[in-house]
Amino acid sequence: MKRWKKILKTILIAVPAAVVLFILVDAFITWPVYHSFTKDVESYDELSTVFKDSEDVFLPDEDDIPTLSYTILMDGRTRFAKPETYCIFKSENRGDITVYYNLYCAVKGETPCKGTQEYKGVAYDVISEKRQEDNDPDYHGVYLSFDIGEVFYRFNAFYDSDTQSPEDEKTTEEQLRAQLETYAKQVIDKYNASLG
């Protein structure tokens, strides 16, 4: 009888302890750490270290345009989520306008780029847009897109302005187009170098 009481006592202690341990382990594994599926890092070096061994995620070179944020896009929200791609957000003052750059790549959610232009075997597109909405400044955007493997690269530059003449708008658009093409070519050069 004493033996059965001892076994029953052990079971009554072990089962709740096992349940509590299971709940704690499950919470540790599944608790969201990256609520928005992103992780911010402090520097270009930190960001480039994350993707240094990637076969299809490459970063443009760092330059003098000030960076507002470096963000890693994660494949999940838990502490075991892995980095997938990145987003670099920059801002540049150009006299009467501020230009924002969004250098973004993703592995899902984008339409593949067919491309009307090509650089070293990679097709890309560049389009410009100007919108005018009621009581808002004119919106100007330049969008460059290309794909490497299953990674969709989308590099954008945009600004609001009512102060530019048509000639200045054209000059700014050409400069932004050239800047985005520079970023894209740096990525494509790194991709080609990785092929061997």
Side-chain angles (χ1 to χ4, degrees):
M1 189 73 162
K2 278 186 173 182
R3 183 172 180 231
W4 287 107
K5 282 185 180 180
K6 191 174 184 181
I7 291 171
L8 183 61
K9 186 177 176 182
T10 304
I11 290 172
L12 290 175
I13 292 172
V15 169
V19 169
V20 168
L21 181 63
F22 173 78
I23 291 170
L24 290 174
V25 168
D26 183 60
F28 177 78
I29 292 171
T30 61
W31 190 264
V33 175
Y34 308 112
H35 295 283
S36 60
F37 295 86
T38 63
K39 176 184 175 183
D40 290 333
V41 293
E42 297 297 317
S43 69
Y44 178 87
D45 290 338
E46 242 183 292
L47 186 63
S48 60
T49 299
V50 171
F51 296 106
K52 72 177 181 190
D53 296 326
S54 177
E55 295 178 2
D56 47 12
V57 177
F58 302 94
L59 281 70
D61 295 337
E62 193 171 25
D63 59 18
D64 293 335
I65 298 174
T67 301
L68 301 176
S69 66
Y70 299 99
T71 303
I72 300 170
L73 307 177
M74 309 297 283
D75 69 355
R77 299 189 318 163
T78 68
R79 69 183 71 251
F80 299 107
K82 293 182 176 65
E84 284 187 319
T85 55
Y86 64 85
C87 181
I88 300 171
F89 194 59
K90 297 173 168 260
S91 170
E92 173 184 36
N93 288 322
R94 291 176 162 232
D96 60 340
I97 62 168
T98 300
V99 177
Y100 296 96
Y101 298 89
N102 186 13
L103 310 178
Y104 165 80
C105 62
V107 292
K108 52 188 169 267
E110 298 288 342
T111 304
C113 174
K114 302 228 187 295
T116 57
Q117 300 177 63
E118 187 177 306
Y119 177 72
K120 293 189 178 178
V122 176
Y124 71 94
D125 266 329
V126 185
I127 61 169
S128 300
E129 174 186 55
K130 178 180 177 183
R131 274 188 288 171
Q132 195 167 13
E133 298 177 9
D134 297 336
N135 299 325
D136 286 336
D138 291 350
Y139 172 88
H140 303 266
V142 179
Y143 308 92
L144 187 147
S145 56
F146 64 100
D147 306 332
I148 293 177
E150 299 296 316
V151 178
F152 307 114
Y153 288 85
R154 304 298 180 257
F155 293 173
N156 310 318
F158 52 92
Y159 66 96
D160 291 334
S161 173
D162 284 329
T163 60
Q164 288 196 312
S165 68
E167 296 79 24
D168 289 341
E169 286 177 12
K170 185 176 180 189
T171 301
T172 300
E173 182 182 314
E174 289 170 358
Q175 291 169 346
L176 297 182
R177 182 185 197 101
Q179 183 63 59
L180 293 179
E181 285 184 329
T182 297
Y183 290 141
K185 289 174 180 179
Q186 290 168 349
V187 167
I188 293 167
D189 285 340
K190 290 177 183 179
Y191 164 66
N192 282 324
S194 76
L195 296 176

